[in-house]
Amino acid sequence: MTERIGGQRYLLLGWVLLGLAVGAVLALAGLPREASLAWAAAALPVAAHVALGIVRALGGGQLGVDVIALAAILGAVALGETAAGAVVALMVAGGEALEAWAEGRATRSLSDLLARAPRTAARISDGEVEQIDIGEVAPGDLLFVRPAETVAVDGTLEDAEATLDESTLTGEAMPVQARQGAAVRSGAVNAGPAFTLRATATSEASTYAAIVRLTRQAAEERPPLARLADRWALGFLAVTAALSGTAWIVSGDPVRALAVLVVATPCPLILAAPIALMAGIGRAARRGIVVKGGGALERLARVRTALFDKTGTLTPGRPRLASTELEEGLGRDEALRFAAALAQGSTHPVSAALVTAAKGLSVPLADSVTEHAGGGVSGRVEGRDVLLGSEGFLDAQGAGPSDGLGGSAAIAAAGSVAWLALDGRAVAAFVMADGLRPEAPRAIRRLRAAGVTRLVMVTGDRAAAAAPIAAALRFDAVLADLSPEDKIAAVTAERAAAPTAMIGDGVNDAPALAAADVGIAMGAHGTAAAAEAADVVLLVDRLDRAGEAVAIAVRSRSVAVQSIALGMALSGIAMVVAAAGYLPPLAGALVQEGIDVAAILFALTALRPGRQEHRPATVSGDAELAERTGEHARLRALAGELRAAADAVSQGREVLPRLEAAEAAIRAEVLPHQRAEEANLYPAVARALGGRDPMAALARMHAEIETMSGQLAALLRLAATEEGWRSAAPELRRVLFSLDALLTLHIAAEEEVLAEVSPEVSAH
């Protein structure tokens, strides 16, 4: 439909250009009457087209400034100023053609989504590959995805690995590697060899179909700023009528009134605002941000308060074991063995964290494992009755923790604790932590820079779990222990004070997302309910895109308002000059054409980032940025091992081999990593960032880590004897904890700096 309308606009423009050219040739040949007829023939079809549009608008209860263009064309033909009428017609036809081109450019990313929507799939049935309509795919079907094909439906990878290009979905340029069993989203393109996929959803319920629905909704919505422009257009129509009438009455010359009509330009009001907003939507789409229409974009630009869910939004939603509290006589490894034996039979994220923490231990098999809806797992391990779960679950089973174990400071301050009970008695508490997303601090800074003045955390978690994260991110308020209904009430209260955005990812966030002025959903790994309820969907799993979305919205709305103001100001000046008799109709028509083009081209500058937006520098591939950041996951794991080794020092000299292994890992992994960074990466980053020495603090941390690793090696040599162990143990514990803290802090600080030279850097 859009292409057909665009074709009609271009055809009308071609007709006007032909008529103008024929008229000019006839005029130069000394045939003024014939030239006038040619110009009139060029102008009158445009007048008929405009009149038809006005009638349709009146049928919908609207009246716009197209009336001015119609009056100018008909008046010019009636008064014998047919050349001016043809130029006005060229303005109208050219403006509509320019609108079609501009909208096409602004919505190119959205159109690409629609064009690449898969229509068929290759299904493997009885060893045969058959091509079927995408609507026939059912969950459980085995699909064959050829090289360069678009994945038709959501599914799980059956082969050992696959290379996927997800740039259409997320804006990420680099292909990603998926391993067997990984979730694969529809819309991704196979960037490697063919692979097989087990469908987990129908085409309509898959990721890509949801994106297409959001895209269509975004393209069809009429922006509020455009409606505001329509209201301004009515006032502009009244001013134009008054000024042209006054010029006619004062001068007694109807041509003077015609000149005012000719230079009264409606295009900036009609076209510039929606073009600027659609340009912003297109820019956002290229960054993996789906904005559901110009209305959502304009509301996003006005946001001054942002509310955040915690788990899955500010944190990755993947907990890890932070510390262990034990009863006397039970070792950490023994407790982990029993806990992991039960956790292997559970799908809960905390269970997965315990299984991960127990890697390297001899974990026995559990019998009669049962996962209870009340928040725990029960079973038998090595002949003993074992319970694993929340404090409430253990209480319900008559195995609640004693005051001694349950009253520790670590447990009191913890946000999440998994309890272990053996034979009806609580013996261990596993304190879990779900750290910040690496990009969360950067996201908060971008929101502040974009004009968001108040940040609030709204979470169902305990206040003890929420407070440290809120403090680290410098939130203005924390509302904890909230139900979904409480979250709606919090959003409503904040909306009463300022335009508000809600950012979340789960089903329980969907009502709050819908209640906010703008709902922003983490759609990459969030729920469909959240994505449907939100106004903005982040298709890439990066929180900093929320700040980027606000910055794009602010830029687009600013350009829209400025383009309207520019067109109206220039038009007003030209109208006054024409009313004074210094701008005849033909010259005025040419001036008016230039004003229209200038305003619309200015609106298209919304396709580019503004001066206030974050535009990171880059470094070359020779700097090995991807390689170094890719090593951070292993270094984080090593930091966790240092922390666990420090805890184990209290067990005596038998842990010495474990400490020596940790020290060897530092020499084999951390120190070479640091030397490689200082040789290639740091100099390249310093050149990109500029300044006197932007990497000095990070290089100083390298030196301190190296010094402390030398201290650790010396202490381990001293601890080789029983007497040496007694004197070295306290210092060993201190150095190990210090190394853990310094290495963890260094990785976080380094990723913050590296994000400035590559916006896609994140923790691996």
Side-chain angles (χ1 to χ4, degrees):
M1 181 67 177
T2 302
E3 292 179 358
R4 183 169 61 83
I5 292 174
Q8 292 174 351
R9 291 172 176 176
Y10 293 134
L11 184 62
L12 194 62
L13 175 61
W15 173 261
V16 176
L17 287 171
L18 178 62
L20 274 170
V22 170
V25 171
L26 292 172
L28 291 174
L31 301 170
R33 183 172 177 277
E34 288 78 2
S36 181
L37 289 173
W39 287 326
L44 289 175
V46 176
H49 170 74
V50 173
L52 183 60
I54 292 172
V55 170
R56 288 174 178 163
L58 287 173
Q62 295 180 339
L63 180 65
V65 289
D66 283 341
V67 173
I68 298 174
L70 178 61
I73 294 172
L74 295 179
V77 173
L79 294 175
E81 296 283 347
T82 53
V87 174
V88 173
L90 177 64
M91 174 275 298
V92 174
E96 292 195 358
L98 185 58
E99 177 189 21
W101 171 79
E103 285 184 350
R105 181 175 177 189
T107 61
R108 186 176 301 155
S109 295
L110 302 181
S111 300
D112 287 346
L113 288 174
L114 298 172
R116 293 178 61 179
R119 293 171 175 80
T120 62
R123 182 170 61 191
I124 301 175
S125 180
D126 297 327
E128 300 284 332
V129 177
E130 57 175 337
Q131 204 72 18
I132 61 172
D133 185 87
I134 189 174
E136 298 178 27
V137 177
D141 284 350
L142 186 63
L143 305 180
F144 184 67
V145 184
R146 301 178 180 89
E149 277 190 345
T150 300
V151 177
V153 298
D154 293 351
T156 56
L157 182 63
E158 292 285 298
D159 292 341
E161 62 179 11
T163 303
L164 300 170
D165 176 3
E166 295 187 331
S167 58
T168 302
L169 299 175
T170 66
E172 303 278 0
M174 295 298 293
V176 297
Q177 293 293 127
R179 303 296 178 189
Q180 188 173 32
V184 178
R185 292 186 291 171
S186 61
V189 176
N190 182 8
F195 62 85
T196 54
L197 181 82
R198 183 71 64 180
T200 57
T202 64
S203 62
E204 281 302 306
S206 290
T207 301
Y208 202 82
I211 294 171
V212 169
R213 287 195 296 272
L214 299 180
T215 299
R216 286 187 174 134
Q217 183 178 342
E220 292 169 1
E221 183 179 318
R222 185 163 171 75
L225 198 63
R227 291 195 290 269
L228 177 63
D230 288 343
R231 292 198 295 272
W232 289 355
L234 292 176
F236 189 66
L237 177 61
V239 170
T240 300
L243 188 58
S244 61
T246 300
W248 189 351
I249 293 170
V250 171
S251 67
D253 184 2
V255 175
R256 188 80 62 89
L258 174 63
V260 174
L261 292 175
V262 165
V263 296
T265 173
C267 282
L269 289 171
I270 298 172
L271 306 179
I275 285 173
L277 294 181
M278 290 304 294
I281 291 172
R283 265 191 67 204
R286 289 197 299 273
R287 298 294 295 154
I289 304 165
V290 172
V291 182
K292 298 182 183 178
L297 192 76
E298 208 237 337
R299 293 194 304 276
L300 188 61
R302 297 176 180 273
V303 164
R304 294 297 175 266
T305 299
L307 291 89
F308 290 82
D309 173 50
K310 182 180 79 71
T311 305
T313 301
L314 294 171
T315 69
R318 295 184 292 274
R320 59 176 175 80
L321 179 61
S323 63
T324 306
E325 299 293 320
L326 304 166
E327 282 213 336
E328 289 287 337
L330 182 68
R332 176 181 182 274
D333 288 355
E334 187 69 8
L336 263 179
R337 287 179 67 251
F338 280 104
L342 278 191
Q344 291 177 134
S346 169
T347 58
H348 195 279
V350 170
S351 296
L354 290 172
V355 172
T356 300
K359 281 185 177 177
L361 301 178
S362 176
V363 178
L365 293 176
D367 298 322
S368 306
V369 177
T370 303
E371 189 160 13
H372 299 265
V377 189
S378 63
R380 288 185 62 80
V381 179
E382 295 182 340
R384 305 182 70 175
D385 292 325
V386 184
L387 299 173
L388 177 67
S390 65
E391 183 176 357
F393 171 69
L394 264 66
D395 284 338
Q397 304 293 323
S402 64
D403 292 339
L405 182 61
S408 76
I411 293 174
S416 177
V417 179
W419 293 88
L420 176 71
L422 297 179
D423 297 326
R425 178 166 164 266
V427 295
F430 301 102
V431 178
M432 311 305 295
D434 187 11
L436 278 176
R437 285 176 176 268
E439 76 276 10
R442 187 162 58 255
I444 298 305
R445 290 197 298 271
R446 287 188 179 182
L447 285 168
R448 296 277 193 192
V452 176
T453 57
R454 178 171 168 80
L455 299 171
V456 181
M457 182 190 294
V458 288
T459 178
D461 282 355
R462 298 168 54 189
I469 290 175
L473 295 174
R474 302 297 189 263
F475 271 56
D476 299 296
V478 181
L479 304 176
D481 296 307
L482 299 186
S483 66
E485 293 78 12
D486 295 332
K487 288 185 179 182
I488 294 175
V491 169
T492 303
E494 294 292 341
R495 282 187 68 190
T500 298
M502 172 69 195
I503 306 171
D505 73 313
V507 172
N508 63 332
D509 296 322
L513 292 171
D517 292 296
V518 181
I520 302 177
M522 303 288 291
H525 299 294
T527 65
E532 292 292 340
D535 303 286
V536 178
V537 181
L538 309 182
L539 300 180
V540 58
D541 192 31
R542 293 178 59 88
L543 184 61
D544 51 358
R545 294 292 167 88
E548 193 171 346
V550 174
I552 289 173
V554 170
R555 162 75 173 164
S556 301
R557 187 180 186 278
S558 174
V559 169
V561 172
Q562 290 174 31
S563 62
I564 290 174
L566 172 67
M568 292 182 70
L570 293 175
S571 179
I573 294 170
M575 288 165 65
V576 171
V577 173
Y582 297 111
L583 196 61
L586 180 58
L590 296 173
V591 169
Q592 190 264 2
E593 181 77 12
I595 292 172
D596 291 342
V597 171
I600 293 171
L601 291 179
F602 183 83
L604 281 173
T605 61
L607 288 167
R608 301 196 308 270
R611 286 180 295 177
Q612 302 303 317
E613 289 188 60
H614 176 78
R615 286 180 284 186
T618 57
V619 296
S620 69
D622 294 339
E624 299 176 342
L625 174 62
E627 291 86 339
R628 299 288 81 79
T629 54
E631 293 167 357
H632 282 181
R634 172 57 192 148
L635 298 187
R636 277 194 174 88
L638 178 56
E641 173 58 25
L642 292 172
R643 183 168 59 252
D647 280 332
V649 168
S650 60
Q651 298 176 21
R653 260 188 90 231
E654 59 268 21
V655 301
L656 192 57
R658 182 175 184 178
L659 305 185
E660 291 171 339
E663 188 273 333
I666 293 173
R667 281 188 284 106
E669 298 181 44
V670 177
L671 300 185
H673 171 85
Q674 293 185 165
R675 286 191 286 271
E677 285 184 327
E678 292 180 17
N680 297 315
L681 181 58
Y682 280 16
V685 174
R687 288 192 296 272
L689 295 178
R692 183 168 295 178
D693 192 1
M695 309 303 287
L698 295 178
R700 180 68 183 85
M701 286 188 187
H702 279 180
E704 188 64 23
I705 290 171
E706 189 166 350
T707 298
M708 294 179 71
S709 68
Q711 293 174 0
L712 177 61
L715 287 168
L716 288 174
R717 288 193 294 272
L718 176 63
T721 64
E722 187 67 39
E723 184 178 341
W725 172 263
R726 284 196 298 271
S727 62
E731 190 65 11
L732 273 172
R733 185 180 176 89
R734 183 195 69 79
V735 170
L736 286 167
F737 274 131
S738 298
L739 270 171
D740 162 44
L742 184 56
L743 185 57
T744 301
L745 175 62
H746 173 71
I747 292 170
E750 187 172 84
E751 286 177 347
E752 282 291 314
V753 173
L754 297 183
E756 297 302 314
V757 296
S758 174
E760 313 307 335
V761 170
S762 63
H764 293 261

